[in-house]
Amino acid sequence: MDGKGWSNWGEGVAFGLENGMAVIPYALLKYYRKLNLTGSEAMLLIHLLSFRQVEGIDFPSLEELQAVTGRSISVIAGELQKLMKEGFISIDGDNDELRDIHYERYNFSGLYSKLGAYLAEISQENLQEKGTRTSNEPGSRAAAHHSGASAPEGSYGRPAGPPEREAEESRSLFSIFEKEFGRPLSPMECESISGWVDEDRYPDELILLALKESVFAGKVHFRYIDRILLEWARNRVKNAQDVKAYSQKFRSGGR
């Protein structure tokens, strides 16, 4: 490389440094597959960390994430839902009393806890491996056996099939909501759907029926849908037949 080439290279490096640098845990880059994360999910975490560190944005919108990942909003929403469901990230809310606004930010403590736990597991396995070598046993296999760790990469203690099907069903649920709302869902709205499915254990059928009721009532917003689901839960409405019977009872004034 001649002097001009080095000069151009230096200018490019300087430009890159001026645009800021993000600090990414090396353990995330090295072991994300061991945590049952896909490459795109790990990259999404990296983008979230970069938005906070470089851009000063604690809660990037789905559109901002789409701009840097190149993937569809529904796919990004599904990945965020999975990351929240499995405890890698959470959403914290707070109020700015001076400006009288409410804001959210992503919390990465779950990610750091999982990385720390896996690094501790590796350290324990290494110590056990050293001990088994003295008795002429296969080190890595013995360590994995005694520690209870699962050896196949990507399994992380559970089969790969069901989580993939759950993620596909969640993305389908998100897509239906986006179609009815006529816009992409926000991360908070995605978390609400995740809560209905994972915490409240509402069947997908019941959630979609509540969405349908809100459309008919002309009140297409999450608080109204949540109230419908709560009322149905209190009255033991569990499926489409129960909804029909409850609606008839409600209209006849027999509540």
Side-chain angles (χ1 to χ4, degrees), residues 68-153:
V68 295
T69 62
R71 298 195 302 279
S72 69
I73 286 178
S74 61
V75 170
I76 296 171
E79 290 176 344
L80 287 172
Q81 186 267 345
K82 178 189 173 185
L83 293 173
M84 288 187 286
K85 175 184 175 182
E86 298 189 358
F88 288 94
I89 58 175
S90 59
I91 298 176
D92 294 339
D94 205 351
N95 294 309
D96 187 333
E97 296 180 357
L98 294 177
R99 293 183 291 177
D100 192 28
I101 60 173
H102 179 81
Y103 62 91
E104 291 85 28
R105 60 176 175 270
Y106 284 109
N107 185 323
F108 299 96
S109 59
L111 168 64
Y112 298 138
S113 295
K114 288 179 181 292
L115 288 173
Y118 187 74
L119 291 174
E121 180 183 338
I122 292 176
S123 178
Q124 182 182 12
E125 288 181 1
N126 289 338
L127 290 174
Q128 291 177 345
E129 182 179 349
K130 290 180 181 179
T132 54
R133 282 177 180 173
T134 60
S135 59
N136 296 322
E137 293 182 12
S140 60
R141 288 178 177 269
H145 172 74
H146 291 303
S147 65
S150 180
E153 183 175 331

Side-chain angles (χ1 to χ4, degrees), residues 50-65:
S50 300
F51 266 109
R52 169 172 293 183
Q53 297 178 28
V54 181
E55 304 288 345
I57 301 175
D58 290 329
F59 199 72
S61 66
L62 292 174
E63 289 78 9
E64 288 172 323
L65 292 172

Side-chain angles (χ1 to χ4, degrees):
M1 186 182 296
D2 57 17
K4 184 177 180 181
W6 281 110
S7 177
N8 291 336
W9 181 83
E11 290 177 359
V13 171
F15 178 79
L17 293 175
E18 287 177 358
N19 278 271
M21 293 185 294
V23 179
I24 307 300
Y26 178 64
L28 173 60
L29 299 174
K30 187 174 182 179
Y31 298 118
Y32 71 89
R33 294 182 66 186
K34 297 291 186 179
L35 300 183
N36 200 30
L37 290 170
T38 65
S40 61
E41 290 163 353
M43 183 56 67
L44 182 57
L45 285 169
I46 291 172
H47 280 303
L48 292 175
L49 290 167
S50 300
F51 266 109
R52 169 172 293 183
Q53 297 178 28
V54 181
E55 304 288 345
I57 301 175
D58 290 329
F59 199 72
S61 66
L62 292 174
E63 289 78 9
E64 288 172 323
L65 292 172
Q66 182 186 37
V68 295
T69 62
R71 298 195 302 279
S72 69
I73 286 178
S74 61
V75 170
I76 296 171
E79 290 176 344
L80 287 172
Q81 186 267 345
K82 178 189 173 185
L83 293 173
M84 288 187 286
K85 175 184 175 182
E86 298 189 358
F88 288 94
I89 58 175
S90 59
I91 298 176
D92 294 339
D94 205 351
N95 294 309
D96 187 333
E97 296 180 357
L98 294 177
R99 293 183 291 177
D100 192 28
I101 60 173
H102 179 81
Y103 62 91
E104 291 85 28
R105 60 176 175 270
Y106 284 109
N107 185 323
F108 299 96
S109 59
L111 168 64
Y112 298 138
S113 295
K114 288 179 181 292
L115 288 173
Y118 187 74
L119 291 174
E121 180 183 338
I122 292 176
S123 178
Q124 182 182 12
E125 288 181 1
N126 289 338
L127 290 174
Q128 291 177 345
E129 182 179 349
K130 290 180 181 179
T132 54
R133 282 177 180 173
T134 60
S135 59
N136 296 322
E137 293 182 12
S140 60
R141 288 178 177 269
H145 172 74
H146 291 303
S147 65
S150 180
E153 183 175 331
S155 62
Y156 208 60
R158 69 182 188 184
E164 292 175 357
R165 288 197 295 271
E166 288 180 7
E168 183 178 352
E169 291 172 359
S170 296
R171 284 195 291 269
S172 175
L173 201 60
F174 292 144
S175 299
I176 294 172
F177 266 78
E178 287 180 341
K179 182 178 179 181
E180 293 295 341
F181 276 64
R183 60 170 176 78
L185 299 178
S186 70
M188 286 294 288
E189 291 169 337
C190 293
E191 188 178 31
S192 294
I193 296 176
S194 175
W196 292 336
V197 174
D198 302 323
E199 297 175 14
D200 300 321
R201 311 302 297 176
Y202 294 138
D204 286 7
E205 176 191 29
L206 205 64
I207 295 172
L208 293 176
L209 286 169
L211 173 62
K212 184 178 179 180
E213 289 285 331
S214 73
V215 172
F216 287 158
K219 300 178 180 180
V220 188
H221 52 78
F222 273 74
R223 288 186 180 179
Y224 187 76
I225 297 171
D226 191 54
R227 286 200 297 269
I228 293 174
L229 290 169
L230 285 173
E231 183 177 354
W232 286 351
R234 284 194 293 264
N235 289 275
R236 299 183 180 182
V237 175
K238 299 179 180 180
N239 51 47
Q241 291 181 342
D242 292 343
V243 169
K244 183 178 180 180
Y246 181 78
S247 297
Q248 291 175 346
K249 180 181 177 182
F250 178 82
R251 292 190 181 95
S252 64
R255 296 176 62 185

